[in-house]
Amino acid sequence: MRPGRKKPARARASRLQRTNYKWIYLFLLPTVIIFAMFYVVPIVEVFVTSFTQWDGFNAPRFNGIRNYINLFNSHSFLTSLKNLFWWCVIAMTLHVGFGTLVAFVLFHRPRGWKVTRAVFMIPNVISAAAWAMIYRFIFNDDIGVLNSLIRLVNPDFSVDWFYVSPWAFWSVTFTWLFYAVIVTLIVLGDLLNIPQELTEAARIDGATGWQLIRYVHLPLCRTAIGTSIICSLTSRIAMYEQIALTTAGGPDYETVSLPILLVNAITDYRYGYANAVGVLMFLFGLVILWLVNRLFRMDETDY
């Protein structure tokens, strides 16, 4: 067959492909419209109104970068940035590390792994708000389980954990630190998808159990761990219920977060100021997404 006769077939295939694309675009159109209405437009409005003085009732009045200047001159905002930094450090090390450790334990299926899975999974179905209320009773000075156990050794012990510095920060941190079921599920999914041939080849080459984890399994879970870090860090940016229902940001703004500042500003009818906080939260999320993608090379394939 002469090469020139292939052109009509290619042209038909190209026309068919363009026709299929039209149908794809048509079916995607409702999703694009909904996404634009409920995400793109509100985000644009948040950015625009963050440069205004707005009480939510009267028309926004442009005031330049005054809201951002007020933010960076605010003690509570600077404290929230410090808290966010330390919570992010704790999240991407202890929180993600603990969830990854549990994933590897479940993957190797030791004796009692089903009980471990159930015990670890069940508490995570409880909402963050419910856990915050539970921890209020656990850390209660008078009737809390923690202080009651400590008083068995030291009868005079008395600490109101959520309201005394520096314990308030760590008390809030413990309301989410060891509840890493999302991390476990993401990493465990990647572990289960590792081709068995890779593990068998490593064993033939003499790799021990720890070497398998360090040189085979852990590197191949790079993308899952990076995804877990993104989820964990963005959750710390948006952390509200655990703080609002325990310390409300106190004592002396020691446990304040960006969402607490945002909600307080809305309550005070300072919508422009609140949207400035929202813009910074949005930008912090983008920076975290970019950094983790670069550090973990998440755009590269594993196999």
Side-chain angles (χ1 to χ4, degrees):
M1 182 181 293
R2 289 183 298 176
R5 295 186 178 180
K6 295 182 180 179
K7 292 183 179 179
R10 291 177 180 175
R12 286 195 299 270
S14 179
R15 286 196 298 269
L16 180 61
Q17 190 175 24
R18 288 197 297 269
T19 303
N20 290 337
Y21 279 150
K22 291 179 182 178
W23 284 106
I24 292 172
Y25 294 148
L26 180 63
F27 282 108
L28 284 176
L29 184 60
T31 303
V32 172
I33 293 174
I34 293 173
F35 178 79
M37 290 175 57
F38 292 98
Y39 287 92
V40 177
V41 173
I43 289 173
V44 172
E45 288 186 354
V46 166
F47 271 83
V48 172
T49 54
S50 69
F51 297 99
T52 65
Q53 183 179 351
W54 185 29
D55 60 5
F57 298 99
N58 300 305
R61 189 170 68 253
F62 180 76
N63 66 349
I65 60 172
R66 175 57 56 186
N67 291 327
Y68 294 95
I69 293 174
N70 292 337
L71 266 177
F72 282 94
N73 287 330
S74 169
H75 168 68
S76 58
F77 175 73
L78 297 178
T79 304
S80 70
L81 291 183
K82 182 192 72 173
N83 291 340
L84 178 60
F85 171 78
W86 286 115
W87 279 325
C88 285
V89 171
I90 294 170
M92 66 183 180
T93 53
L94 297 179
H95 181 72
V96 174
F98 180 70
T100 302
L101 176 63
V102 175
F104 273 87
V105 170
L106 297 179
F107 174 69
H108 288 90
R109 299 186 177 185
R111 179 177 297 179
W113 71 275
K114 290 185 178 180
V115 176
T116 302
R117 181 181 62 183
V119 170
F120 184 65
M121 297 292 181
I122 290 175
N124 286 272
V125 302
I126 302 175
S127 68
W131 267 122
M133 297 303 296
I134 291 172
Y135 268 94
R136 285 190 64 177
F137 288 100
I138 292 176
F139 289 151
N140 185 275
D141 185 27
D142 297 323
I143 61 173
V145 175
L146 179 60
N147 284 4
S148 297
L149 291 175
I150 295 175
R151 288 191 185 108
L152 295 177
V153 180
N154 182 6
D156 298 326
F157 183 83
S158 177
V159 172
D160 210 351
W161 298 94
F162 280 123
Y163 306 103
V164 178
S165 177
W167 307 114
F169 177 88
W170 293 106
S171 299
V172 169
T173 302
F174 270 95
T175 63
W176 56 265
L177 182 58
F178 296 110
Y179 301 97
V181 67
I182 302 300
V183 176
T184 298
L185 293 177
I186 294 174
V187 176
L188 184 60
D190 252 23
L191 286 171
L192 295 174
N193 285 326
I194 294 175
Q196 192 64 30
E197 294 81 3
L198 295 177
T199 302
E200 292 174 356
R203 287 201 177 106
I204 291 174
D205 290 338
T208 61
W210 169 244
Q211 290 172 331
L212 275 174
I213 294 174
R214 182 179 178 183
Y215 296 109
V216 180
H217 295 160
L218 200 57
L220 291 178
C221 291
R222 182 190 71 248
T223 303
I225 294 173
T227 303
S228 301
I229 290 176
I230 290 174
C231 294
S232 183
L233 297 188
T234 51
S235 295
R236 304 290 72 78
I237 295 174
M239 187 166 60
Y240 175 74
E241 297 99 326
Q242 296 97 321
I243 300 174
L245 296 174
T246 53
T247 65
D252 192 26
Y253 299 110
E254 182 177 323
T255 59
V256 71
S257 67
L258 293 176
I260 291 290
L261 295 179
L262 188 150
V263 173
N264 289 343
I266 292 175
T267 305
D268 294 337
Y269 301 104
R270 295 186 296 162
Y271 286 82
Y273 187 88
N275 286 345
V277 178
V279 167
L280 293 177
M281 292 171 60
F282 181 80
L283 295 178
F284 288 157
L286 291 181
V287 170
I288 286 172
L289 183 63
W290 179 79
L291 284 176
V292 175
N293 273 311
R294 290 294 300 271
L295 290 173
F296 285 83
R297 307 189 310 277
M298 294 178 64
D299 55 343
E300 300 178 10
T301 58
D302 291 324
Y303 309 111

